[in-house]
Amino acid sequence: MNRKLVFLDIDGTLTIPGSNVPPPGALEAIRLARAAGHVVVLCSGRNLGMLSPLLPYGFDGAVASGGGYVFLGDRVLYDCPMSSEQRDLALRLFKEAGVLCTIEARDASYCDEGMGEFLERVSGGNSELLRWRRALEEDLGIRPIREYDGRPLYKIVFMCEKAEQLANAIHALEHEFYFLVQDLEAAGCLNGELINRKFDKGSGVRSMAEALDIPLEDTIGFGDSMNDLEMIQAVGTGVCMENGSPALKSHSDLVCPSVEEEGLAWAFQKLGLLG
């Protein structure tokens, strides 16, 4: 069997949203797949700082910050923070519109004051909303924005009550950034991510595959929300979790059981990754 390159989203795929502990079946499946010669990497919107707690479980690298920072072992394949001018304009426009932000550098994240109260007021939602709620509750190292020291940013996660609050930022920034608004508008909440058009999870997939000389048809991607779409489209085989977005399922080759039901272990077995 050809060596496969496997990409795993974290929140809602490898772990329950906001958690740093994968289920035991997933860990065993990953161990067996790597022992069989396959390469298993993380592919996440999380930055390096927030995905680092998972690296000791045994991964060969990661596509971090939604594709903005890609590494394989000790080798950095891609590194593309936003410019200081882009950062300052985005933060000013969001603040003027009352949009709450979590800003992500390579190894540190900072959250607007009032984010916790905002999340308490909303209910339901997808894995990304749950991710930030649990991140604040369980402490993924997200610090108050007043502690931000100006280091380069890779991504801004935004939350607001109305789409109109994003209008000025979209007008000023959409030629350089994607506004990836999640398929959620409930209880007066919109959440999404500001991502540089220079990269996405799909570009991370391609750079990792090229570095390893693994054909794209021998790549497999696991995700659960629409910010995994570019990964699912880039890989040879796309897998969506049962707990995932209906829209992403329509783009996937396989739907596996939910993260709570050991979906990764089931899918690794079905795809012949366990040796």
Side-chain angles (χ1 to χ4, degrees), residues 15 55 59 68 117 134 172 239 248 250:
T15 71
L55 294 178
F59 295 96
E117 293 179 5
R134 295 187 181 187
V239 184
L248 189 69
S250 71

Side-chain angles (χ1 to χ4, degrees), residues 115 118-119 121-126 129 133 158-163 165 181-192:
M115 181 71 80
F118 180 82
L119 292 175
R121 287 194 286 113
V122 299
S123 60
N126 65 3
L129 181 59
R133 179 182 293 162
F158 55 82
M159 288 188 180
C160 59
E161 295 184 8
K162 299 178 181 179
Q165 292 174 267
V181 180
Q182 295 295 317
D183 50 358
L184 164 72
E185 187 166 6
C189 175
L190 284 171
N191 74 298

Side-chain angles (χ1 to χ4, degrees), residues 127-165:
S127 66
E128 289 301 298
L129 181 59
L130 291 171
R131 167 191 165 185
W132 290 109
R133 179 182 293 162
R134 295 187 181 187
L136 292 176
E137 292 173 352
E138 299 176 13
D139 186 14
L140 286 180
I142 302 175
R143 295 148 61 181
I145 204 164
R146 64 177 180 273
E147 297 180 13
Y148 174 55
D149 56 8
R151 67 186 71 187
L153 299 182
Y154 291 78
K155 184 176 71 173
I156 299 175
V157 178
F158 55 82
M159 288 188 180
C160 59
E161 295 184 8
K162 299 178 181 179
E164 306 90 83
Q165 292 174 267

Side-chain angles (χ1 to χ4, degrees), residues 234-250:
V235 296
T237 302
V239 184
C240 184
M241 312 302 290
E242 179 57 44
N243 54 276
S245 159
L248 189 69
K249 291 176 184 177
S250 71

